[in-house]
Amino acid sequence: MIYFFDGGEDGFFTAFLQAFHDENALLTSKKTQLILGEEPLFVQTDKAKAHRAKERLKTFDSYCLKDLNLLLRSGEADNEQAAFEYFRLLAKEKRPVKNQLAEPAAFKSMEYIRKVGLEVHRFHGFIRFIETASGALYAPFVPDNDICDLLVPHFRARLPAFPFVLHDITRQKAAVYDGKNVFLAPLQQADVLLSANEENWQALWKRYYAAVNIPSRERLRQMRGFMPKRYWKFLPEKN
C-alpha cells in the first residue's frame, strides 16, 4: 500500500506509525504513478501521535530527528521511503543504526544524508551574489537538495551588514536575510535591477578565473568532480 502524507515531519511520523507493520508499505508525499491493484491511503497528520513517536525514537538515538530533517531535504526520488525504512530499522533495533552500513536501509540513508551535507559545503563556495540597485545581494541557484535555509548561517556570518536573498530556482522558494531577521518565502521568479557596479564585479570574476587558469594543463574531468557542470549556470566565471 502507498501511504501519502503532507511532506512534513509530523506527517511523516503519523504515516510511519500507520505503515510500520506493512512489509510492502511505500511512504511518499510526491506525485506517484500507481501500479494496477495498488491501494493509496492518504494519511491525515496527527501531531499528538507524531510527538509520541518522536519522543520514543529519541530514546533509541538522540540525533535521529536531525537525520530525518536531512533525509526529507534530499532530492533523491525515494528519500521518504529511505527514511521510513531507516526509522523502522531504528525502532526494531532500539539503538542507533547509522553505523550498521551492512543494512541496506542504513547505508542508503547515510548516503543520502552525506550528499545533502556535501552540497551545503559546495554551495558555500559556489554561491555568486548579484548586487542589486538597492544594495541588497541576490543569489539564484539550482541545488539538488532542499538546502536553501541551511546556507543562511554561513553567509549571515560573513555578510552581517548586507541583506541578501538565496533563491532556489528549482523549488521556487527563497531564504531572505533583511539585515536582522531570516525568513523563508515562496518565490517563483525575481526581477532584479542590477547596481551600477555589478557588471564590473562579474568582469572581475572572469579576470580572476582567466588569471589562475592554465589552458595547457586543463584537467576538465577533475574540475567537474570538484565543480559539477550542473552548477555552472550561475557562475559568472564560467559564462
Side-chain angles (χ1 to χ4, degrees):
M1 181 178 288
I2 299 181
Y3 297 81
F4 288 96
F5 68 101
D6 61 10
E9 186 178 282
D10 288 339
F12 171 83
F13 280 115
T14 307
F16 170 79
L17 291 173
Q18 194 151 351
F20 186 84
H21 296 291
D22 182 351
E23 291 301 319
N24 299 311
L26 173 64
L27 263 66
T28 186
S29 65
K30 306 179 179 79
K31 291 182 179 178
T32 303
Q33 182 66 48
L34 296 178
I35 300 172
L36 186 64
E38 210 164 23
E39 294 183 57
L41 177 65
F42 296 89
V43 179
Q44 185 174 356
T45 299
D46 186 321
K47 291 183 180 292
K49 286 184 179 180
H51 177 73
R52 289 195 294 271
K54 285 188 277 189
E55 292 304 307
R56 178 64 170 159
L57 289 163
K58 281 164 60 179
T59 65
F60 304 147
D61 181 351
S62 59
Y63 294 98
C64 67
L65 296 187
K66 293 181 180 179
D67 292 337
L68 178 63
N69 179 271
L70 295 175
L71 283 168
L72 294 182
R73 292 173 180 276
S74 171
E76 300 290 343
D78 65 340
N79 66 314
E80 294 160 334
Q81 179 65 14
F84 170 63
E85 293 171 2
Y86 175 73
F87 275 82
R88 182 156 62 180
L89 177 63
L90 174 62
K92 288 179 178 179
E93 293 287 327
K94 295 182 171 57
R95 59 191 174 93
V97 296
K98 62 183 64 182
N99 292 324
Q100 296 185 30
L101 299 182
E103 292 284 352
F107 180 83
K108 178 183 282 189
S109 292
M110 290 304 104
E111 182 64 11
Y112 288 0
I113 288 171
R114 184 192 68 81
K115 287 181 178 180
V116 174
L118 175 61
E119 190 169 54
V120 170
H121 174 72
R122 280 175 164 170
F123 273 110
H124 286 169
F126 292 163
I127 286 290
R128 297 291 182 267
F129 284 105
I130 298 169
E131 185 180 58
T132 68
S134 68
L137 304 177
Y138 168 76
F141 69 123
V142 284
D144 298 329
N145 306 290
D146 186 4
I147 61 171
C148 203
D149 54 314
L150 297 184
L151 295 171
V152 171
H154 175 82
F155 292 107
R156 184 179 183 180
R158 284 153 180 76
L159 303 165
F162 294 90
F164 62 76
V165 176
L166 296 168
H167 185 187
D168 183 339
I169 301 295
T170 304
R171 294 168 183 81
Q172 298 184 350
K173 64 190 294 187
V176 181
Y177 172 59
D178 63 8
K180 185 177 181 181
N181 303 300
V182 176
F183 56 93
L184 293 174
L187 183 60
Q188 292 187 355
Q189 63 181 27
D191 297 320
V192 179
L193 182 61
L194 302 183
S195 72
N197 291 323
E198 178 54 29
E199 289 188 6
N200 293 331
W201 288 117
Q202 294 200 20
L204 280 174
W205 269 113
K206 294 177 182 179
R207 285 172 57 191
Y208 169 76
Y209 182 78
V212 300
N213 187 41
I214 305 174
S216 62
R217 299 182 63 185
E218 281 189 337
R219 300 289 186 271
L220 293 179
R221 184 175 179 180
Q222 183 182 41
M223 181 183 71
R224 287 170 183 157
F226 288 104
M227 184 187 288
K229 194 169 183 179
R230 63 185 180 277
Y231 297 152
W232 290 6
K233 181 177 181 180
F234 297 110
L235 299 179
E237 64 268 33
K238 296 300 295 178
N239 293 298

